[in-house]
Amino acid sequence: APDLGADDRLQIMTIHKAKGLEFDVVILPGLARTPRSDDKKLLLWAEQAETRGAETLLLAPIHATEDDSDPIYDWIRRFHAHRQHLEDGRLLYVAATRARRQLHLFGNVRIKHDEDGASVMVPPSARSLLGKLWPAVASGFESVLRERDVQPAPPVPPGDIDQTLRRLPSDWSLPPAPPPANWQAPPEAARVQDALEFSWAGETARHVGTVVHRWLQRIAEDGAEGWDAARIHALAPAIRHALSAQGLGDAELAEAVMRATQAIVNCVNDARGRWVLGAQDSARSEWRLTGVSSGRLVNVVIDRTFVDGEGVRWIIDYKTSTHEGGDVAAFLDNERERYRGQLERYAALLRAGGERHIRLGLYFPLLGGWREWRFEPR
């Protein structure tokens, strides 16, 4: 957990925690370390989406004994290992791109000596992060090795090992234990993120919202360029697969796919939706922040934020709500009051970071609705 009393000179965190953040200087130590191999699991499986909405599922149990061999189990294990290899490469990219000015990469390799006493470099493990960088950095390591005279360690001279037994006296007792450390765990960060949004709408609505948010993030990363209704309708199999992976059954799947697809289509067809998703200054999507709100450490995720041409910082939440009755305007007004506290907590965090002119917005793609207001700090 972050130290709330620390200043901003140094932050120590995992690569996962650093995602979405930036620092002037980034230091990545221990790149030559090899992760622990996964233990064999009782059951392995792999899913793959096919064309025309079909899917493939492979299942394989663990071998009965070490001498047994099951080609499906072995193939799935290699498949997962390759996927983890690609994920490690993505994590290394994430870590390296956190740096604004300087990036320092630390790694070490072993040196061995051949029969002639010449120093030979042992490349790092391919499973390590340094192994992924090795094609680019090997020449630098080799040049250092050529400049230095690395001598083999002298052999340990043979000698007798002292094996004298030393026994404690019969009246010996353990010394008193030191006093316990006076330490209190920092409060766990509370999550301020749509705790109430789907409390009434059920699991299907929540899963539709998750998938819609994911695709809107993708569209926003492209600045909405090249996205239209035809392209989104062509993605219906991928949307269906994503909703199925969320756990939706066949009974809800068809309607959920239609609702998610329609929400995304409405965004790219609507002028306001294209403004929200289009290229903007200082834009971020699904921006994760940690800060202090009302004296508590909180984690938040902002759907979309940017600075417009007039220097106003916008904080916008997408709401995939539907409304079957009349008086849509009254429904949208009620939703604005319902989510006012959540968005204003987001704004308070950004204001603490230096933002001054902030406006908040709720965008309802399924209703073509929009509500906005200016943030007035209390």
Side-chain angles (χ1 to χ4, degrees):
D3 182 359
L4 299 182
D7 57 28
D8 60 356
R9 289 179 295 175
L10 177 65
Q11 293 288 337
I12 301 176
M13 63 185 68
T14 65
I15 296 177
H16 289 89
K17 288 290 185 183
K19 185 177 180 181
L21 305 177
E22 286 186 335
F23 304 91
D24 288 335
V25 180
V26 170
I27 301 172
L28 302 180
L31 295 180
R33 296 183 62 181
T34 303
R36 185 177 66 87
S37 299
D38 291 336
D39 297 329
K40 280 191 172 183
K41 296 180 173 59
L42 288 176
L43 183 68
L44 288 181
W45 65 88
E47 298 179 72
Q48 184 174 359
E50 303 288 350
T51 57
R52 302 179 182 177
E55 298 177 5
T56 299
L57 174 63
L58 289 177
L59 293 170
I62 196 171
H63 307 165
T65 67
E66 288 295 329
D67 296 331
D68 291 342
S69 177
D70 177 56
I72 298 180
Y73 187 95
D74 294 339
W75 182 89
I76 296 177
R77 198 174 186 193
R78 291 194 302 271
F79 171 77
H80 286 316
H82 179 65
R83 187 164 63 179
Q84 185 60 49
H85 172 78
L86 298 177
E87 174 64 14
D88 291 344
R90 187 188 71 83
L91 280 177
L92 179 59
Y93 171 81
V94 168
T97 53
R98 299 310 92 202
R100 290 196 189 98
R101 297 180 181 176
Q102 295 182 20
L103 173 65
H104 299 269
L105 305 172
F106 286 83
N108 62 284
V109 293
R110 292 191 304 110
I111 302 298
K112 67 179 183 180
H113 296 83
D114 59 18
E115 297 177 352
D116 299 328
S119 300
V120 179
M121 185 180 302
V122 180
S125 168
R127 297 176 55 232
S128 68
L129 297 183
L130 182 60
K132 293 172 175 56
L133 294 171
W134 195 243
V137 302
S139 59
F141 279 76
E142 291 168 354
S143 65
V144 172
L145 179 60
R146 287 193 297 268
E147 295 170 1
R148 300 183 180 180
D149 183 19
V150 181
Q151 298 295 329
V156 178
D160 295 332
I161 300 176
D162 183 5
Q163 301 188 54
T164 304
L165 293 178
R166 295 178 176 84
R167 299 185 183 276
L168 295 171
S170 59
D171 60 347
W172 184 87
S173 61
L174 286 170
N182 184 16
W183 178 81
Q184 291 183 346
E188 186 174 352
R191 182 172 175 82
V192 183
Q193 183 65 29
D194 297 344
L196 49 83
E197 180 168 0
F198 299 107
S199 59
W200 54 272
E203 288 294 299
T204 300
R206 182 170 67 87
H207 295 321
V208 168
T210 298
V211 172
V212 169
H213 278 64
R214 189 180 305 163
W215 280 104
L216 293 184
Q217 179 184 5
R218 167 75 184 279
I219 295 171
E221 289 172 352
D222 294 339
E225 291 295 327
W227 288 89
D228 55 21
R231 181 177 178 182
I232 294 167
H233 282 298
L235 292 171
I239 295 174
R240 180 184 181 88
H241 177 73
L243 288 168
S244 179
Q246 293 286 327
L248 290 186
D250 293 338
E252 307 97 358
L253 203 51
E255 182 178 352
V257 171
M258 180 182 66
R259 181 177 296 184
T261 304
Q262 189 61 51
I264 303 170
V265 168
N266 289 354
C267 287
V268 300
N269 283 345
D270 177 44
R272 187 178 298 279
R274 297 194 72 86
W275 172 72
V276 170
L277 299 173
Q280 301 281 2
D281 186 36
S282 301
R284 291 179 179 267
S285 296
E286 302 299 319
W287 191 17
R288 298 179 179 272
L289 293 175
T290 298
V292 178
S293 176
S294 302
R296 294 185 63 196
L297 189 66
V298 297
N299 294 326
V300 305
V301 181
I302 299 177
D303 293 348
R304 180 69 170 165
T305 181
F306 54 82
V307 177
D308 66 15
E310 298 179 356
V312 176
R313 164 67 69 176
W314 284 89
I315 300 174
I316 299 169
D317 250 24
Y318 314 128
K319 302 300 176 187
T320 53
S321 310
T322 59
H323 182 62
E324 303 299 336
D327 201 353
V328 175
F331 170 76
L332 296 179
D333 291 339
N334 183 66
E335 293 292 275
R336 176 184 57 197
E337 296 308 311
R338 191 162 171 246
Y339 293 106
R340 179 185 293 273
Q342 176 180 310
L343 266 71
E344 291 190 352
R345 279 191 292 269
Y346 298 171
L349 292 177
L350 291 188
R351 186 173 179 83
E355 299 285 351
R356 288 296 173 261
H357 305 291
I358 303 176
R359 292 191 70 83
L360 309 173
L362 290 174
Y363 182 53
F364 301 80
L366 284 172
L367 299 173
W370 171 259
R371 287 295 182 269
E372 66 175 75
W373 65 99
R374 180 180 176 183
F375 172 62
E376 299 289 350
R378 301 172 184 177

